Amino acid sequence: MARPLCSRCHYPPSSCVCPFVNQIDNRIKLWVLQHPHEQKQAKSTTPLLQLGLTNVQLCVGEHPEDFAEVRAISEQACALLYPSTDAEPVEQCHSPLEHIIVLDGTWSKVHRLWQQNPWLHELKALSFDQVPASRYHIRKANREQSLSTLEASAYCLAHLEGLDTRPLLHLLEGFVTMQTKQMPAAVKQRYQK
């Protein structure tokens, strides 16, 4: 029998993050292109973005036909957050943008999304000059300076529209706290810094 879930955050009551939610009104629309495997990942931060931002759209898929809705807006003032060789540092970007696209998944899945969707290569690419320290200690990354999708999105929005993203980071910290409480001691030890 399935465990009951909170009607607002959709987590089990023992992991409910509602006390940590303080939604932010973002002007720039955030489009999250999520690899299908990431949907099954209990530690994904994309559901937190959906709770913490008013202007976010999730699109799940792998191939160009899966992202028709996003491709329709790609001619507008749109940029992709991805560390390609020609990416402009977000800290130096002064272009007026209406849409930011982020790719969600492990690095290998994100790279696959990038390769399978050549239309993404035509977009203005943004990356980070100064990667902030990650607060997301409950999921291991195979690359140094990796950020969760929430952290990368928050950093990007803070620079592009001057948004105060502390409520998003507070939500992430609350999520980490709730997830850590559910871990057996041996598992918890692996993630503590």
Side-chain angles (χ1 to χ4, degrees):
M1 187 158 100
R3 294 187 299 175
L5 300 177
C6 171
S7 60
R8 182 174 178 211
C9 72
H10 305 290
Y11 288 102
S14 59
S15 303
C16 177
V17 294
C18 288
F20 306 102
V21 176
N22 186 8
Q23 204 170 53
I24 302 171
D25 289 320
N26 53 309
R27 177 188 57 79
I28 298 173
K29 183 164 187 169
L30 187 71
W31 295 81
V32 180
L33 276 53
Q34 187 179 67
H35 191 279
H37 290 174
E38 191 67 14
Q39 269 193 307
K40 300 172 190 140
Q41 175 53 253
K43 296 177 191 170
S44 172
T45 61
T46 294
L48 301 177
L49 279 171
Q50 293 175 293
L51 288 169
L53 294 174
T54 59
N55 199 6
V56 61
Q57 179 72 44
L58 173 63
C59 302
V60 180
E62 291 182 71
H63 306 286
E65 59 270 18
D66 299 326
F67 303 120
E69 188 179 2
V70 191
R71 290 170 63 204
I73 58 93
S74 65
E75 297 291 321
Q76 298 173 28
C78 185
L80 170 70
L81 185 60
Y82 187 80
S84 61
T85 54
D86 61 343
E88 177 184 345
V90 72
E91 298 90 344
Q92 297 167 28
C93 179
H94 301 293
S95 304
L97 295 170
E98 295 175 23
H99 305 276
I100 293 293
I101 298 171
V102 296
L103 306 180
D104 183 43
T106 62
W107 267 112
S108 62
K109 300 293 188 226
V110 163
H111 185 63
R112 188 172 301 155
L113 281 174
W114 165 257
Q115 288 179 318
Q116 291 177 330
N117 289 275
W119 63 276
L120 292 172
H121 307 181
E122 298 167 20
L123 298 175
K124 174 186 184 71
L126 298 173
S127 64
F128 300 149
D129 233 356
Q130 303 288 326
V131 179
S134 177
R135 303 172 186 205
Y136 189 52
H137 306 300
I138 59 170
R139 190 170 175 189
K140 297 294 183 191
N142 56 3
R143 289 179 57 150
E144 293 253 346
Q145 300 182 315
S146 289
L147 295 176
S148 68
T149 301
L150 181 144
E151 290 170 310
S153 300
Y155 187 76
C156 191
L157 289 171
H159 281 279
L160 294 176
E161 66 171 279
L163 203 61
D164 179 0
T165 57
R166 287 177 294 184
L168 276 180
L169 299 175
H170 176 69
L171 176 56
L172 177 67
E173 288 169 357
F175 176 71
V176 169
T177 298
M178 298 308 285
Q179 291 293 314
T180 304
K181 282 182 182 178
Q182 307 305 311
M183 293 178 182
V187 175
K188 196 181 299 187
Q189 227 172 7
R190 280 186 292 186
Y191 294 110
Q192 290 175 334
K193 290 218 166 212

